[in-house]
Amino acid sequence: MSSVAFIGLGNMGGPMAANLVAAGHAVTGFDLVPAALELAAAAGVTIASDAQSAVAGADVVITMLPGGAHVLGAYRDGLLSAAAPGTLFIDSSTIDVDDARQAAALAVVAGHRAIDSPVSGGVVGATAGTLTFMVGADDADFALAEPILQVMAGRVVHCGGSGAGQAAKVCNNMILGISMIAVSEAFVLGEKLGLSNQALFDVASAASGQCWALTTNCPVPGPVPSSPANRDYQPGFSGALMAKDLGLALNALQSNGVAAELGTLAASIYRTFADEGGAGQDFSAIINTIRTNSTGAAA
């Protein structure tokens, strides 16, 4: 079993660290939020006084932080220098591809191994240990990381070299954001045309409109009892996170010259949604904005 340092014990990192402990790994963690530290300690994580102390002597360092600036700052401000030579750094934050590659380069220059490994599956997946990990790494580093990741995963996909994990994540979430808007618009249109939500779901879920945004995270109450729509749109995957991820997608689209009209529009729609009260709601609550902005009475 490995000695693991886990930096960032929030809604995602906390359950991930707990699963590592349950699998027998020695996990030392740190977070800036006292409540997160309390929950992690209750799950068996040894709490360090600071991030640098957490990584000292660890075989593996996992970071789950809000953005690229946080990851790069943590690496530069002591994580890399405090770790033993040859430590494997796994960054599971969702950040820009360029930031991921820069973070890995910093780690390698400091004498360590590094991979980017963002996740999909949300808090439910983090708690259940069924996350999908999208990994950017060379073959040797992937082989070292995979047994650790498998403890927290339902699936681990080696996407390519440094930055490829983040590339896969940003593309996947662009698909998700666009498809949720499409599904939500379809339900509002169905309501206007006199269709019940259940009738539209029964057709689309078994026809060419079938997608994850419909059959797993359905934006209307009823058809999928486990969807956030049945819990007053409590996330789930929040509007703030979708706005962030689509912002990363927009950066990548622009920097690579991709003519992506739907991705660009989805980023704008979710940015407005988050800024105007949807940040703390599940991203499927975009359907309420579409209803509000629609005119005329339902059939």
Side-chain angles (χ1 to χ4, degrees):
M1 293 300 170
S2 298
S3 172
V4 180
F6 209 115
I7 310 302
L9 298 168
N11 292 333
M12 293 293 293
M16 291 165 68
N19 284 330
L20 289 169
V21 171
H25 295 284
V27 181
T28 301
F30 180 73
D31 195 283
L32 294 174
V33 179
L37 295 177
E38 291 178 12
L39 288 173
V45 175
T46 299
I47 303 303
S49 58
D50 53 47
Q52 291 77 18
S53 299
V55 307
D59 302 313
V60 178
V61 175
I62 302 175
T63 46
M64 178 61 89
L65 299 172
H70 302 90
V71 175
L72 291 170
Y75 278 24
R76 289 170 173 146
D77 293 343
L79 287 193
L80 298 179
S81 59
T87 299
L88 174 63
F89 278 77
I90 300 174
D91 180 45
S92 287
S93 318
T94 297
I95 63 177
D96 270 320
V97 174
D98 289 344
D99 286 345
R101 289 174 176 157
Q102 186 177 356
L106 288 171
V108 170
V109 168
H112 305 300
R113 299 174 179 269
I115 71 170
D116 53 285
S117 186
V119 302
S120 179
V123 176
V124 172
T127 302
T130 57
L131 294 168
T132 294
F133 283 83
M134 295 153 270
V135 183
D138 64 28
D139 290 343
D141 289 347
F142 177 74
L144 285 175
E146 187 176 18
I148 295 290
L149 300 179
Q150 287 288 2
V151 172
M152 304 174 282
R155 191 177 186 196
V156 179
V157 181
H158 188 191
C159 299
S162 180
Q166 296 293 349
K169 176 68 183 287
V170 75
C171 291
N172 178 77
N173 279 20
M174 186 173 71
I175 294 170
L176 177 59
I178 293 169
S179 62
M180 181 56 77
I181 293 169
V183 168
S184 297
E185 289 179 351
F187 271 110
V188 174
L189 176 60
E191 292 164 1
K192 296 284 189 181
L193 295 174
L195 279 174
S196 71
N197 289 332
Q198 188 65 55
L200 178 56
F201 177 86
D202 289 345
V203 171
S205 64
S208 54
Q210 191 280 329
C211 60
W212 190 93
L214 174 69
T215 56
T216 299
N217 216 73
C218 185
V220 296
V224 179
S226 60
S227 76
N230 297 283
R231 305 189 305 274
D232 197 27
Y233 298 97
Q234 298 175 34
F237 187 67
S238 72
L241 290 177
M242 180 53 80
K244 171 200 167 185
D245 287 3
L246 288 175
L248 296 176
L250 182 60
N251 291 342
L253 291 168
Q254 293 173 340
S255 65
N256 288 279
V258 178
E261 294 183 28
L262 292 182
T264 300
L265 183 56
S268 175
I269 288 170
Y270 270 105
R271 181 72 273 154
T272 300
F273 174 70
D275 289 344
E276 295 183 354
Q281 294 181 298
D282 189 77
F283 79 109
S284 60
I286 194 69
I287 192 171
N288 294 325
T289 298
I290 295 167
R291 283 199 190 98
T292 299
N293 291 340
S294 299
T295 59

